[in-house]
Amino acid sequence: MRLAALFLAPALLAACQPASTASDGEPVLSYTDAFIMAPIAGRDITMGGIEITVEGGDVRLTGVSSDVATTVETHSMAMVDDRMQMRPVDGWDLKAGDTLKLDRGGDHLMFFGVDEALAAGDTANITFYFDVAGREEPLTLEAEAEVRAQGE
Ligand SMILES: [Cu+2]
């Protein structure tokens, strides 16, 4: 019986692998177009975006933080009574090969308690936290975001 179990285990593992495995390591995250809109004078709330691509495994975006804001939320847009409204979401699942696009008019990042000194042309960090199956600590992605003027 014990021998049978030993033979069974590798078969199960093989069944769970994608058809072609580029790597048996951790998912690899890359990004482009990271930005934060410079807040409107007198306001400490603004939005931002990024494109994040994951390769080699599945992840779930579960949290975001930045040195220039006290809180960063993940928001989606939805039609409510014929009007587009934003609402906080827990995060997003990304399959290997997926690209998450966060931008104005759709899914986006929302920054609260934003540093009032933040101005167009500055750069600011955004840190993304991802859950990965079988990993205890979240996988992180450190992004350098461009601060854009309103209207850009
Ligand atoms: Cu929002």
Side-chain angles (χ1 to χ4, degrees):
M1 289 307 268
R2 197 172 173 82
L3 198 62
L6 281 171
F7 277 111
L8 188 61
L12 279 173
L13 279 172
C16 292
Q17 299 295 324
S20 64
T21 46
S23 162
D24 59 356
E26 294 195 321
V28 176
L29 298 157
S30 59
Y31 76 95
T32 183
D33 292 336
F35 71 92
I36 303 174
M37 299 307 295
I40 294 167
R43 300 206 63 188
D44 67 351
I45 299 172
T46 190
M47 60 80 60
I50 192 169
E51 286 189 15
I52 297 172
T53 298
V54 60
E55 301 286 354
D58 302 344
V59 299
R60 177 173 177 78
L61 176 61
T62 53
V64 186
S65 68
S66 172
D67 288 343
V68 300
T70 52
T71 311
V72 186
E73 291 184 357
T74 47
H75 280 191
S76 69
M77 301 292 274
M79 281 296 239
V80 179
D81 296 333
D82 291 335
R83 292 180 58 192
M84 286 298 278
Q85 287 191 0
M86 62 172 90
R87 57 179 54 171
V89 291
D90 288 341
W92 293 285
D93 288 309
L94 289 173
K95 300 275 180 211
D98 280 356
T99 296
L100 174 68
K101 294 184 182 182
L102 304 180
D103 203 350
R104 281 175 288 187
D107 295 338
H108 61 275
L109 300 171
M110 210 75 202
F111 298 77
F112 297 88
V114 179
D115 183 350
E116 286 178 26
L118 203 64
D122 290 349
T123 55
N125 80 297
I126 312 176
T127 306
F128 297 84
Y129 304 88
F130 298 87
D131 276 357
V132 180
R135 194 183 204 272
E136 286 186 19
E137 296 290 311
L139 190 62
T140 58
L141 171 69
E142 298 283 347
E144 187 103 324
E146 168 199 357
V147 180
R148 292 186 188 163
Q150 294 288 334
E152 258 179 45

